[in-house]
Amino acid sequence: MTDPLRVLLVEDSATDAKLVVQALRTSGRQVEFERVQDAEAMRAALESRLWDLVISDWSMPKFSAMGALDTLKGTGLDLPFIIVSGTVGEESAVDAMHAGAHDYVLKDKLGRLVPAVERELRECRERAALRESEIRSAAIVRCSLDAIVGTDHTGRVIEFNPAAERCFGYSRAEALGQSLADLIVPERFHEEHRVRLQTHVAGAQGAVVEKPLELIAKRRDGTEFPIERSIARLDARSPPILMGFIRDLSERAKAEAARRELQTRFTRLAESGLVGIIIGESSGRIAEANDAFLSMVGYSQDDLANGLVSWASMTPPEWVSTNAAATEELRLRGVAGPWEKEYLRKDGSRVPVLVGVATLEGGKNISLSIDLTKRRQAEAARGRAEDALRQSEAQLRQAQKMEAVGRLAGGVAHDFNNVLSVILSYGELILGDLKPADPLRDDIEEITKAASRAAGLTRQLLLFSRQQVLEPKVIDLHEVLTSMDKMLQRILGEDVDLVLVAPKAAGRVKVDPSHVEQVILNLVVNARDAMPTGGKLTIETANVLLDEDYANSHLPAKAGAQVMIAVSDTGTGMDRETQARIFEPFFTTKEKGKGTGLGLSTVFGIVQQSGGTVWVYSEPGRGTTFKIYLPRVDAEVEVLSPAVEPTTLRGTETILLVEDEEQVRTVVLSLLRRQGYHVIPAQNAGEALLLCESHSGTIDLLLTDVVMPQMSGPDLARRLASIRPETRVLCMSGYTDDSIVRHGVLESGVAFIQKPITPASLTRKIREVLDGDPAGKKTPLP
């Protein structure tokens, strides 16, 4: 059913009003109307309800059509205004039309009224639709994430949205009326831009005259960056308007540069000759192999190209089942090994290797192999030694193997820390800029999740390889174990009896408190798994004195005063073969998919890095005892202050950023500036000192990498302390290899953050340092 026609009648004659309404009803529509005779009544009626049109008499005793028209304009409403009168002359009607009336109808020709009304209502709807379209278009331009720049046919800017302001650094007021070429086009491309402009202006009417192109633009500060631009020609005006849609490709270029850098590092590793590398396919075909691997198995690149190198040809029969198990592990976990095996060389001889495999994209996998020939030769030589030395030699072999795998793991983890810092930081920054409904959000979140999992793996590898940064404190093991009692009970469950023998008289040790708790937790979890039907777990501490004989037969133990932590269970126990491998990373006796094989290797790494030794005593069916020996110290227990969460992650302080890795420096610079800080970047210590001398204001914080060419971060801090004693110091590093201790960072009490960094972790640490106690804000480096 058609909606009623709502008419406001400005008419002094009730009879004439009735005639107008009857004329309107001839259209078949229901008519609702109200009659008014003066300006005040008309304004009240316009404010009281919605109307479709206004019909006014030309002349009335107290009012007129021109007065009614002025009243309507004063309300700001866009309604059709039609004059119906028997007295209006042609000149008066023309004046009324110029003043804003839409039509006039003589009372003796009311048959024209309905067509006039329908026409004006239709045009009113069209005007409203046009305004709505213009509003929506303007909103889209303002809210677009891409820069939108409009120009006239001469190339002068007539539209410059907020995204364009952010992209190019100009305000809208600065850009309007300026030559687009002068604003954003590098000078060497001006002629090319001029030719394109002429082509666009002369293009076919109403057509999109340019598909997306990748070009180079410049910002207000003169820096150049890649963009993707498309041009649309609008012919609503003559000459036409050109609208440019521009997308900043800087982040994509940075990601591509990071990928190339990662590829370069992998290539260097492949060409180093230290590790044999294979790229294999799921079918078993070997697609690529570096020269180190081919030399290891006696083949050439030509042999590989001719299909002579394959898993089948290199695998001795007794290793087929091991390969199958590794393949299944690879399918379930994405990684397999490392494990020792043998390859058949081209001449039929065998080469012992240590192998690890991980999956790649596209159904491929990568295998890393280390030639163990020389190590096996050394083992054979030591095996022919006297029986009295065999036990020590076996222990030494195990230590050497752990050291080799540890160095490899730590080196890989170190390189990835900087790469992961860049990936995690850019991922969080991009997520911060995306709207919740942005289709890219899910993809970026998956990237950051994968990078976070990789960061967790690197932390475990650093712990195993003894390259994780520790913050040692003097602690009382009695207090540590007592505080963990309830938590350990919950972990073990009701069917395992926990006995703590931790006398207060036991000596103190200097270790990282969180890491010693992790050691105990890992051993307790292993013990629980070894007692599936329940049992007894005893944790004991005691002061011991290791003599030279014990130390010589338990390498790498050291003689002297020690504190022992013994964790004993009544579980299933282990045979000698299992005991020989329990500290190897990724080795596990649990069912596939139920263990990472990093728990005990983490224990081994923490104890070794803390200057201690760990030994295992076990027999099948008779339980297991792990004994950890840590050097005893004569010092007071250090009270651990609880960390205070910063109230804000933003700031306005001035930070001197010194980082020799360009990608890390770039992302840290970006995220700190986003948080409001004034950042002075430097790529080395020498440049940082020059900037300090030329900077007239205060430098609140020195944020520096520890290991850099020419001068280390701590050395820079020492130099800076003499000229800017008020500056606080925060060091960061991706690995240690004893470098953190060697440079005296932890002993000095200087704040430290371990890579990989993220925006959240770094800004939180910066606020902790800047908001710390002013009296103890800085401890001089030794």
Side-chain angles (χ1 to χ4, degrees):
M1 185 174 181
T2 305
D3 292 335
L5 182 63
R6 295 161 298 184
V7 181
L8 180 61
L9 285 174
V10 185
E11 175 64 69
D12 61 322
S13 170
T15 301
D16 288 349
K18 184 176 181 181
L19 291 174
V20 170
V21 171
Q22 288 176 345
L24 291 173
R25 285 174 176 167
T26 60
S27 66
R29 296 180 63 173
Q30 181 182 353
V31 178
E32 297 178 359
F33 70 95
E34 180 177 343
R35 183 169 65 90
V36 297
Q37 303 180 55
D38 55 48
E40 183 177 352
M42 180 178 178
R43 278 193 296 270
L46 289 172
E47 293 174 356
S48 65
R49 63 175 296 185
L50 298 176
W51 302 97
D52 293 317
L53 77 156
V54 177
I55 297 178
S56 175
D57 193 4
W58 173 251
S59 178
M60 295 167 283
K62 298 181 180 180
F63 208 24
S64 68
M66 297 300 281
L69 186 57
D70 290 340
T71 301
L72 177 61
K73 289 181 179 179
T75 65
L77 297 173
D78 182 17
L79 295 178
F81 187 92
I82 299 176
I83 299 171
V84 178
S85 177
T87 61
V88 63
E90 184 176 344
E91 292 183 0
S92 298
V94 170
D95 291 340
M97 299 291 281
H98 286 162
H102 295 90
D103 205 347
Y104 70 94
V105 178
L106 297 177
K107 289 184 178 179
D108 59 355
K109 296 181 179 181
L110 287 177
R112 288 190 58 248
L113 182 59
V114 170
V117 167
E118 294 297 339
R119 181 185 65 251
E120 295 305 327
L121 288 176
R122 182 173 62 254
E123 291 181 358
C124 184
R125 288 193 296 270
E126 291 174 353
R127 289 196 301 273
L130 179 60
R131 286 196 301 273
E132 178 67 20
S133 176
E134 291 174 347
I135 292 171
R136 290 180 180 178
S137 297
I140 291 172
V141 170
R142 288 195 304 272
C143 299
S144 173
L145 296 177
D146 290 334
I148 299 178
V149 180
T151 68
D152 61 16
H153 68 286
T154 67
R156 299 289 174 181
V157 176
I158 61 174
E159 179 56 67
F160 206 76
N161 74 336
E165 293 179 315
R166 295 191 297 271
C167 183
F168 298 107
Y170 297 96
S171 69
R172 188 172 187 271
E174 292 171 326
L176 291 180
Q178 300 299 315
S179 167
L180 181 64
D182 293 339
L183 288 178
I184 71 170
V185 180
E187 187 173 353
R188 64 185 183 278
F189 298 124
H190 275 196
E191 179 60 23
E192 180 182 342
H193 174 80
R194 186 188 65 80
V195 172
R196 280 200 179 129
L197 178 64
Q198 293 178 347
T199 302
H200 301 329
V201 172
Q205 184 176 9
V208 174
V209 297
E210 183 181 68
K211 294 181 179 179
L213 291 178
E214 291 190 7
L215 304 170
I216 299 296
K218 69 175 182 179
R219 293 189 173 92
R220 181 174 186 168
D221 60 7
T223 58
E224 296 185 0
F225 65 105
I227 63 170
E228 183 180 68
R229 187 188 73 176
S230 60
I231 297 292
R233 169 177 151 156
L234 307 180
D235 294 304
R237 298 180 185 176
S238 181
I241 293 174
L242 302 177
M243 298 298 291
F245 303 87
I246 301 169
R247 176 164 297 178
D248 187 344
L249 300 181
S250 300
E251 295 301 325
R252 190 175 79 179
K254 290 177 182 178
E256 178 62 22
R259 186 196 64 78
R260 289 196 300 269
E261 175 65 17
L262 187 61
Q263 180 64 35
T264 299
R265 292 186 178 185
F266 179 78
T267 301
R268 289 174 180 171
L269 176 64
E271 295 174 351
S272 66
L274 301 176
V275 179
I277 301 176
I278 303 172
I279 304 298
E281 299 177 350
S282 57
S283 62
R285 175 181 172 271
I286 297 177
E288 300 177 45
N290 68 343
D291 291 338
F293 178 82
L294 293 174
S295 176
M296 188 186 305
V297 293
Y299 288 94
S300 66
Q301 289 289 350
D302 289 338
D303 293 331
L304 178 64
N306 293 329
L308 299 180
V309 187
S310 65
W311 287 114
S313 65
M314 295 188 305
T315 303
E318 62 270 29
W319 291 103
V320 172
S321 60
T322 303
N323 276 4
T327 300
E328 179 64 14
E329 182 181 5
L330 184 66
R331 184 185 69 81
L332 294 174
R333 298 176 54 236
V335 294
W339 78 96
E340 292 185 16
K341 59 171 289 184
E342 291 179 320
Y343 285 136
L344 275 176
R345 292 171 53 85
K346 185 177 182 180
D347 60 7
S349 62
R350 299 190 177 197
V351 55
V353 291
L354 181 67
V355 181
V357 187
T359 57
L360 299 174
E361 294 181 355
K364 295 185 178 181
N365 56 68
I366 181 171
S367 171
L368 279 68
S369 304
I370 299 176
D371 189 343
L372 300 179
T373 300
K374 293 183 179 180
R375 190 175 305 165
R376 291 289 177 83
Q377 292 171 348
E379 291 171 357
R382 284 191 292 271
R384 292 188 294 268
E386 298 179 5
D387 292 343
L389 297 178
R390 288 180 179 173
Q391 181 64 28
S392 296
E393 290 171 352
Q395 296 166 359
L396 180 60
R397 287 196 299 272
Q398 179 69 6
Q400 288 177 330
K401 181 168 65 175
M402 298 296 286
E403 181 71 19
V405 178
R407 286 183 180 276
L408 177 61
V412 172
H414 152 250
D415 279 343
F416 271 96
N417 270 333
N418 280 331
V419 176
L420 291 173
S421 293
V422 175
I423 296 173
L424 286 168
S425 296
Y426 276 125
E428 288 194 17
L429 290 176
I430 293 172
L431 285 175
D433 291 338
L434 295 178
K435 294 182 178 179
D438 195 294
L440 291 177
R441 175 171 286 276
D442 290 342
D443 296 338
I444 301 300
E445 286 179 346
E446 288 301 320
I447 292 173
T448 57
K449 287 178 184 178
S452 297
R453 290 195 295 271
L457 182 58
T458 60
R459 283 193 294 271
Q460 290 183 295
L461 291 175
L462 286 173
L463 282 171
F464 164 71
S465 60
R466 306 188 301 282
Q467 294 188 24
Q468 176 73 300
V469 176
L470 303 181
E471 296 186 29
K473 308 286 183 184
V474 177
I475 65 171
D476 187 327
L477 289 174
H478 168 78
E479 296 178 0
V480 172
L481 290 172
T482 302
S483 66
M484 296 178 66
D485 181 39
K486 291 184 179 179
M487 177 177 61
L488 296 179
Q489 290 280 10
R490 289 195 299 270
I491 293 174
L492 290 171
E494 297 179 355
D495 58 346
V496 176
D497 185 19
L498 174 63
V499 178
L500 289 180
V501 183
K504 293 184 178 180
R508 303 180 182 96
V509 294
K510 188 171 185 178
V511 295
D512 187 315
S514 63
H515 285 176
V516 77
E517 291 179 358
Q518 184 175 354
V519 166
I520 294 170
L521 284 173
N522 284 2
L523 293 178
V524 168
V525 169
N526 262 27
R528 181 201 60 193
D529 293 342
M531 298 182 288
T533 60
K536 180 179 179 181
L537 177 69
T538 303
I539 302 177
E540 177 185 6
T541 62
N543 294 329
V544 297
L545 184 65
L546 301 182
D547 57 20
E548 292 291 343
D549 290 340
Y550 182 90
N552 291 335
S553 60
H554 293 78
L555 295 175
K558 297 178 181 178
Q562 308 276 324
V563 178
M564 179 196 71
I565 307 173
V567 180
S568 304
D569 65 64
T570 58
T572 55
M574 295 177 284
D575 56 27
R576 290 186 177 274
E577 290 74 19
T578 302
Q579 292 181 53
R581 299 190 61 191
I582 57 173
F583 295 121
E584 293 179 9
F586 306 112
F587 175 79
T588 179
T589 59
K590 299 176 183 177
E591 298 177 15
K592 295 189 182 301
K594 294 188 177 181
T596 64
L598 287 172
L600 289 179
S601 64
T602 299
V603 170
F604 178 88
I606 292 175
V607 173
Q608 290 281 304
Q609 193 173 2
S610 300
T613 310
V614 56
W615 289 98
V616 60
Y617 305 85
S618 183
E619 293 183 22
R622 303 189 63 178
T624 300
T625 295
F626 285 90
K627 288 188 176 181
I628 297 169
Y629 297 95
L630 297 170
R632 193 161 72 233
V633 297
D634 295 323
E636 293 298 322
V637 172
E638 298 181 44
V639 178
L640 304 179
S641 301
V644 179
E645 189 72 9
T647 58
T648 180
L649 299 182
R650 297 185 60 82
T652 58
E653 292 89 340
T654 298
I655 299 176
L656 176 59
L657 168 63
V658 189
E659 169 61 61
D660 58 322
E661 281 283 342
E662 181 180 359
Q663 289 180 314
V664 178
R665 184 173 67 252
T666 300
V667 72
V668 172
L669 174 65
S670 175
L671 71 91
L672 290 182
R673 285 180 173 172
R674 287 188 180 206
Q675 292 295 333
Y677 294 101
H678 173 62
V679 186
I680 305 173
Q683 62 181 346
N684 54 53
E687 182 181 352
L689 290 172
L690 291 175
L691 291 172
C692 283
E693 293 177 359
S694 62
H695 184 70
S696 58
T698 300
I699 296 179
D700 302 285
L701 177 69
L702 168 65
L703 176 59
T704 178
D705 197 5
V706 173
V707 182
M708 296 185 294
Q710 302 174 359
M711 184 186 297
S712 70
D715 287 338
L716 170 62
R718 297 185 188 97
R719 293 279 297 274
L720 189 60
S722 62
I723 58 176
R724 291 183 179 268
E726 78 283 357
T727 301
R728 303 190 183 196
V729 180
L730 173 57
C731 292
M732 56 183 177
S733 183
Y735 76 121
T736 61
D737 197 19
D738 295 329
S739 62
I740 305 302
V741 175
R742 183 169 66 251
H743 290 293
V745 173
L746 298 181
E747 287 79 358
S748 68
V750 171
F752 176 80
I753 184 170
Q754 172 80 47
K755 294 179 181 177
I757 58 174
T758 64
S761 65
L762 179 60
T763 52
R764 185 182 297 109
K765 190 67 176 181
I766 287 175
R767 288 290 3 137
E768 290 177 6
V769 175
L770 290 174
D771 297 339
D773 181 11
K777 70 179 182 179
K778 185 177 180 184
T779 303
L781 287 162

